[in-house]
Amino acid sequence: MPRNSSTKPLPSTPDPNPSAIKLANLELEITTTFSDQTTTGSPIDGGHKAWRLLLSAFVFESLLWGFPLSFGVFQEHYTRIQEFRNSPYISIVGTTASGISYLGAPFVVPFIRRWSKYRTHMILVGWPLFIIGLGVLYGIGFIIFYYPILSMVDEYWIRRRGMAYGLLCSASGVSGAVTPLSLQALLKQYGHRTTLRGVAVFLFVVTGPLIPLLKGRPGQKQNRQQPTHGTGRFFPALFLPSYASSIGLSTSKGALLLALMSVSQIAGQFTFGYLSDKRTSVNALITVSVSIAAIATLSAWGLARSIAPLILFALLYGFFGAGYTAMWARMATAVSEEPSAAQAIFGMFNFGKGVGNIAAGPISAGLLR
């Protein structure tokens, strides 16, 4: 005689965890949005092609951002030579190069999504522009060149996107640990004209062989619209060398401060990016990042009259302030469960940062005068 299962009640189960349901839905959407490796032959979140692209982007990130973020060394040099000493526009050059790179993000991202098959063409157009340019031209070349690469990275890195962006963001810190000291030595020996030409030749030789490695994941279709949200943060490293000089420190110590900040930035951006992939609250990470960065700016830098507090500021701001940008990829998932929304939201974050970056140049110049 068959057993009547209805006579024995089933054990009760707790109510499902809303967070677990949200995570499961997100993982299901990721699975259905991005083709699996059996279809495309290109796995996500790992594999030879994913790492090859990420490491190539790492090199470009380190060189492209390392140079404009080290412009404080040029700025300090220009204030010492008769040709530019009294110019009110010196501080605007560096902020324009990086600021335009930020401001153009929300405008180029929709174009990339609509014409993604032309991303390689965009790379080939933008690459020579940022090599031969400075200021406005550098920023325009960067926009055309770099954001197509980020869209390719988004295709390969999904669940580990926080780690991937943390690694990319730390790349500028890697070059920043070396670039300021190298530029300061070259400027002292050869002057700004020869140094700038040497930098252009160096960028051409180092980045050229990597261009063929910049390829997106096969079989991707990006037709969905994205919501756009964002905010911004300004990175004050541009003015550290000038400030160090104003309190009587040598030019080499000003360059050293940038190098220390860059080393700390490497650790901070990778740490915050990695933690954002875990179960750590992104809101808590954001609060820690911006709070400590603000306190360090008001205290260690604002009251600094010697090298020691400036070193403390460089280390604290490098770690906590720069760690903020590494979490942008995970902030996107907090705003929207749409996996591909990262590109548009990332662009809006950059736009807000660009506003502060562009405005800081003329405002600071006016305050200093």
Side-chain angles (χ1 to χ4, degrees):
M1 185 174 185
R3 181 179 299 175
N4 187 354
S5 60
S6 64
T7 60
K8 185 177 180 179
L10 295 174
S12 60
T13 58
D15 293 335
N17 187 338
S19 299
I21 294 177
K22 184 177 181 180
L23 179 60
N25 290 337
L26 178 57
E27 291 180 347
L28 177 61
E29 187 172 3
I30 290 173
T31 303
T32 56
T33 302
F34 294 87
S35 306
D36 60 26
Q37 64 185 67
T38 60
T39 302
T40 66
S42 301
I44 60 172
D45 296 312
H48 171 71
K49 293 182 180 180
W51 278 109
R52 183 183 66 185
L53 174 64
L54 185 61
L55 293 178
S56 298
F58 180 91
V59 174
F60 280 107
E61 174 87 15
S62 63
L63 297 177
L64 269 62
W65 276 123
F67 176 67
L69 291 181
S70 300
F71 191 80
V73 176
F74 280 94
Q75 179 173 304
E76 195 278 335
H77 172 79
Y78 289 149
T79 59
R80 290 177 175 269
I81 60 179
Q82 185 63 37
E83 186 177 356
F84 301 106
R85 181 174 298 170
N86 298 319
S87 174
Y89 305 110
I90 295 175
S91 61
I92 300 176
V93 178
T95 55
T96 298
S98 54
I100 290 180
S101 303
Y102 297 135
L103 290 173
F107 302 102
V108 74
V109 166
F111 182 85
I112 293 171
R113 291 181 55 79
R114 176 64 180 85
W115 305 100
S116 60
K117 63 181 179 180
Y118 295 111
R119 288 181 298 185
T120 300
H121 299 78
M122 295 180 67
I123 289 172
L124 293 176
V125 170
W127 178 56
L129 289 180
F130 75 78
I131 288 179
I132 65 176
L134 190 62
V136 174
L137 191 60
Y138 190 100
I140 293 175
F142 184 94
I143 292 170
I144 299 173
F145 175 85
Y146 191 62
Y147 288 103
I149 299 177
L150 284 183
S151 72
M152 296 175 182
V153 172
D154 284 344
E155 293 173 359
Y156 273 105
W157 297 90
I158 312 301
R159 297 179 181 89
R160 301 174 67 189
R161 186 171 291 166
M163 181 279 297
Y165 271 69
L167 183 65
L168 284 181
C169 289
S170 68
S172 58
V174 173
S175 66
V178 179
T179 304
L181 296 172
S182 301
L183 290 176
Q184 196 270 333
L186 290 171
L187 286 169
K188 184 177 181 181
Q189 182 70 27
Y190 301 106
H192 62 280
R193 290 185 176 88
T194 302
T195 298
L196 287 171
R197 290 165 184 159
V199 169
V201 172
F202 174 78
L203 290 175
F204 177 83
V205 172
V206 174
T207 61
L210 298 178
I211 297 293
L213 303 181
L214 302 175
K215 298 179 180 179
R217 188 165 179 261
Q220 299 303 299
K221 294 182 178 181
Q222 301 188 11
N223 296 321
R224 302 180 68 172
Q225 296 297 316
Q226 299 174 340
T228 56
H229 306 267
T231 184
R233 176 191 63 89
F234 174 62
F235 189 72
L238 183 68
F239 301 99
L240 265 182
S242 297
Y243 184 84
S245 179
S246 71
I247 61 174
L249 299 178
S250 64
T251 56
S252 60
K253 288 183 179 179
L256 176 63
L257 289 171
L258 287 186
L260 290 175
M261 178 176 285
S262 296
V263 171
S264 183
Q265 173 184 332
I266 298 169
Q269 290 184 311
F270 186 81
T271 299
F272 278 94
Y274 178 81
L275 290 176
S276 70
D277 278 338
K278 305 301 179 181
R279 294 186 176 181
T280 308
S281 169
V282 174
N283 288 335
L285 292 174
I286 294 172
T287 301
V288 170
S289 171
V290 299
S291 298
I292 296 182
I295 293 172
T297 303
L298 291 173
S299 57
W301 190 9
L303 303 177
R305 295 297 181 270
S306 63
I307 187 66
L310 286 179
I311 290 177
L312 177 62
F313 166 74
L315 295 176
L316 287 176
Y317 194 89
F319 188 90
F320 291 98
Y324 176 83
T325 57
M327 296 183 289
W328 284 359
R330 282 301 166 225
M331 293 181 197
T333 60
V335 174
S336 171
E337 292 186 4
E338 167 57 52
S340 61
Q343 292 176 36
I345 298 175
F346 186 84
M348 293 304 297
F349 284 158
N350 273 303
F351 181 85
K353 189 175 181 181
V355 172
N357 210 343
I358 290 289
I363 291 175
S364 61
L367 291 174
L368 288 173
R369 289 197 302 271

